[in-house]
Amino acid sequence: MDYSNQKGYIFYDGDLVKWSDAQLHVLSHGLHYASSVFEGERAYKGRVFKEIEHTKRLIYSAKSLDFEIPYSENEIIEIRKKVLEANDIVDGYIRPVAWRGSEMMGISAQSNKIHFALAAWQWPSYFSPEAKLKGIKLNISKWKRPDPETAPVNTKSAGLYMICTLSKHEAERKGFDDSLMLDYRNYIAEATGANIFFVKGNSLYTPIADCFLDGITRKTVIKIAKEEGISVSETRIKIEDLNNYDECFVTGTAAEVTPVNTIADFKFKPGKICEFFIKKYTEMTLTE
Ligand code: PMP
């Protein structure tokens, strides 16, 4: 598998191009200085889940990096539709990306062209609820989510993922599936590409999203909980508090609702609350 060489079409700066032709120059600002933003979205049975929210977040991420995507919200929605149709995708993953080009090569990039591409590939829901309920194992990373005064923390911008890749590599080398990341104050923040929830009794607890991505799935889970009369506290959680919780799960467009059975030496038993949210979230992706 090589993502640069698949069959199909990618939207690239105005046109649908052959997949392997969607290339960029090595002197692109986006590559050298991480002036790049992206989204991770999913289509379920032909419909893009939370399409407007993802589109708005992409535009917001670009604005936060001081550039503007050269397409409107509606145009991006049209482009996405075209790409899904051209590649015959019903259940898939969608990756829009915007980045600064090569007109200036230095820190300043005032007049660089903004490029935009959108790719999509087949991605069926592989895991049955039973398989998911086994849970995943998280390491605890030494890398910390930064202070909001250090970086635009509530964006999906490439630069923020440097520490996520480092954390995930370390976790995988040690036999974990992923890593929990603390924030700059040592509060629990999130996983490398997903938000985190804890369960005590029938209540949910999740870190306050003040220095990391307030995920669309996170917001969806909070909404489901409120509709179902399950209390949710957005609160400060420390490592030593982990003994207090019975269940734990992560949420994200790719992860959906994935139970966690281990964080370092702490154990959790995926149970009825994990099961409930897996079921409800899945229903929502297929009906909303
Ligand atoms: N945090 C990070 C760092 C992520 O990359 C993601 C995935 N986009 C999430 C949280 C979850 O966000 P969402 O639910 O919007 O996919």
Side-chain angles (χ1 to χ4, degrees):
M1 175 73 188
D2 176 346
Y3 279 94
S4 69
N5 192 16
Q6 298 291 307
K7 285 209 175 65
Y9 300 91
I10 291 176
F11 180 90
Y12 190 174
D13 283 347
D15 296 305
L16 278 179
V17 301
K18 256 179 64 191
W19 192 289
S20 51
D21 291 344
Q23 299 190 6
L24 62 138
H25 198 270
V26 291
L27 295 182
S28 296
H29 199 273
L31 179 63
H32 293 249
Y33 300 101
S35 51
S36 158
V37 297
F38 64 101
E39 269 304 314
E41 311 162 351
R42 270 174 99 155
Y44 295 90
K45 295 213 185 314
R47 277 213 309 265
V48 180
F49 187 59
K50 303 283 180 194
E51 179 166 32
I52 293 173
E53 288 84 344
H54 282 287
T55 310
K56 283 189 190 300
R57 188 168 71 186
L58 181 69
I59 292 169
Y60 166 81
S61 294
K63 282 216 169 79
S64 306
L65 263 65
D66 199 25
F67 69 80
E68 197 159 334
I69 295 180
Y71 299 97
S72 67
E73 194 178 314
N74 284 339
E75 285 167 337
I76 294 170
I77 289 172
E78 279 307 307
I79 291 166
R80 197 184 277 112
K81 195 164 152 223
K82 249 196 226 167
V83 171
L84 290 174
E85 278 169 11
N87 292 288
D88 217 5
I89 291 169
V90 177
D91 291 297
Y93 186 81
I94 303 148
R95 170 55 60 90
V97 57
W99 69 97
R100 287 195 172 103
S102 51
E103 289 76 8
M104 291 172 77
M105 188 31 77
I107 307 289
S108 179
Q110 303 282 2
S111 56
N112 288 34
K113 179 174 169 177
I114 305 305
H115 296 273
F116 178 76
L118 190 145
W121 50 91
Q122 304 283 353
W123 196 358
S125 274
Y126 287 120
F127 300 112
S128 63
E130 297 74 44
K132 275 197 155 180
L133 270 172
K134 279 205 212 144
I136 58 168
K137 296 186 184 348
L138 304 183
N139 187 35
I140 299 176
S141 176
K142 66 175 184 197
W143 300 101
K144 308 285 168 79
R145 303 303 312 184
D147 183 330
E149 293 187 359
T150 301
V153 291
N154 200 13
T155 62
K156 262 188 97 68
S157 46
L160 290 174
Y161 285 86
M162 174 179 67
I163 54 173
C164 299
T165 299
L166 287 170
S167 302
K168 184 125 180 166
H169 280 186
E170 188 197 5
E172 287 172 347
R173 273 196 291 271
K174 288 162 73 175
F176 292 92
D177 301 292
D178 195 359
S179 199
L180 177 67
M181 299 181 78
L182 307 180
D183 71 16
Y184 63 103
R185 299 157 296 196
N186 279 337
Y187 292 123
I188 287 172
E190 58 169 351
T192 63
N195 295 118
I196 194 157
F197 284 82
F198 298 95
V199 180
K200 185 160 45 176
N202 283 323
S203 302
L204 294 186
Y205 299 83
T206 192
I208 299 166
D210 60 359
C211 65
F212 56 85
L213 197 69
D214 183 3
I216 293 166
T217 320
R218 178 183 184 275
K219 289 183 203 157
T220 305
V221 162
I222 291 175
K223 184 162 168 268
I224 295 173
K226 290 194 170 151
E227 283 166 6
E228 298 289 332
I230 296 171
S231 84
V232 187
S233 303
E234 294 181 69
T235 183
R236 306 278 182 220
I237 305 173
K238 291 191 146 178
I239 292 182
E240 52 268 32
D241 302 329
L242 291 180
N243 275 324
N244 300 339
Y245 299 109
D246 314 317
E247 296 183 45
C248 173
F249 59 87
V250 294
T251 63
T253 299
E256 301 176 315
V257 173
T258 298
V260 172
N261 62 41
T262 302
I263 300 178
D265 294 328
F266 297 91
K267 300 287 175 205
F268 303 89
K269 200 164 171 14
K272 64 179 197 330
I273 300 284
C274 283
E275 204 170 347
F276 174 81
F277 280 98
I278 291 172
K279 183 165 160 278
K280 278 281 166 191
Y281 182 74
T282 306
E283 274 170 23
M284 215 162 176
T285 60
L286 299 174
T287 53
E288 243 196 26

